[in-house]
Amino acid sequence: IVLIIACTIAAYLLGSIPTAIWYGEAYFGIDVRKHGSGNAGATNTFRVLGKRAGTVVLLIDAIKGWVATSIALMMYYGHLIGWEECQNLKLLFGFAAVLGHIFPVFSNFKGGKGVATLLGMVMSVHPEAALVCMVIFFLVFISFNYVSLGAIIASLSFPILLLLKAFGPENTLVIVFGFLLFGMIVITHRKNIVRLIKGQESKISLRSKKA
Ligand code: G3P
């Protein structure tokens, strides 16, 4: 149990790495929290610093979620836990990383909205569902040009697809965590939701000229 607590804290610390802030400050001398939507995430980095910076932040933030879940795999391959426990701990560690991304200890607990890190976590927990959710995200995104709307719908699709047994029988805990994480995404996107309803959400186009 001590090991599990230590690994949960490690996953939280990993998720806490504020990629958007550190990358923006290191390479551009710009704090993304002072521009665009003010969010310390990949979308706002894309908006403020361009495609390449946004892609780097997206990848690193997703890797944080993926690596956090891999701690459980390492424990499994080290014969410390069984396969079922490994699957459950992936959820716990991934969740801790997403929490770290949203409330990072390294930047006054003000981080991103959790989407990229959640994606990395879901890719490890359920790769097939992650792929389908990414397709859903892109369909919504290219139809409306709203990243937030795509992220909200894709994060809802994950537990719904599992609940409908789209990929066969599922571990109930994954579905519960899926809904819990969707709830967190709704909370972190509450301002985006208000802007979407008012028609004031900023659109993002992949054809933007910023490199
Ligand atoms: O991943 C966050 C995205 O869904 C919205 O970001 O900067 O438009 O609030 P932003």
Side-chain angles (χ1 to χ4, degrees):
I1 187 91
V2 175
L3 181 64
I4 292 176
I5 294 173
C7 290
T8 308
I9 295 172
Y12 166 77
L13 292 176
L14 180 68
S16 277
I17 295 171
T19 321
I21 302 171
W22 287 357
Y23 186 84
E25 283 178 346
Y27 285 91
F28 298 85
I30 289 175
D31 182 346
V32 289
R33 291 169 300 179
K34 297 196 178 115
H35 302 271
S37 69
N39 187 50
T43 309
N44 202 36
T45 305
F46 185 100
R47 187 183 285 124
V48 176
L49 303 176
K51 277 182 201 164
R52 197 162 45 178
T55 308
V56 170
V57 171
L58 172 67
L59 283 178
I60 297 178
D61 282 347
I63 288 171
K64 292 192 304 190
W66 190 82
V67 171
T69 58
S70 303
I71 299 173
L73 274 180
M74 285 186 249
M75 290 168 80
Y76 170 73
Y77 287 118
H79 303 289
L80 295 168
I81 52 173
W83 183 243
E84 200 177 324
E85 206 181 347
C86 170
Q87 296 309 103
N88 295 340
L89 285 180
K90 270 185 176 185
L91 295 171
L92 178 67
F93 299 156
F95 187 72
V98 175
L99 271 185
H101 179 74
I102 299 172
F103 305 107
V105 68
F106 303 124
S107 58
N108 295 327
F109 300 98
K110 287 183 96 178
K113 296 184 179 173
V115 179
T117 308
L118 173 60
L119 171 67
M121 167 192 180
V122 172
M123 280 172 84
S124 162
V125 169
H126 204 309
E128 299 116 300
L131 271 179
V132 175
C133 290
M134 277 167 72
V135 170
I136 293 173
F137 167 82
F138 274 108
L139 289 178
V140 176
F141 175 56
I142 54 174
S143 308
F144 302 100
N145 289 115
Y146 294 129
V147 174
S148 54
L149 186 66
I152 293 165
I153 293 179
S155 63
L156 174 62
S157 309
F158 176 66
I160 298 265
L161 283 167
L162 301 195
L163 195 64
L164 296 176
K165 298 194 171 62
F167 310 96
E170 299 292 348
N171 172 358
T172 315
L173 204 59
V174 185
I175 304 177
V176 171
F177 265 83
F179 278 109
L180 203 66
L181 286 156
F182 166 65
M184 283 181 54
I185 293 295
V186 169
I187 294 171
T188 57
H189 285 77
R190 57 196 183 283
K191 289 185 184 151
N192 301 79
I193 294 171
V194 172
R195 285 198 295 267
L196 282 166
I197 294 170
K198 290 185 177 165
Q200 293 167 352
E201 177 69 323
S202 81
K203 294 199 175 196
I204 294 252
S205 166
L206 286 179
R207 282 187 221 106
S208 98
K209 290 194 190 66
K210 262 187 194 169

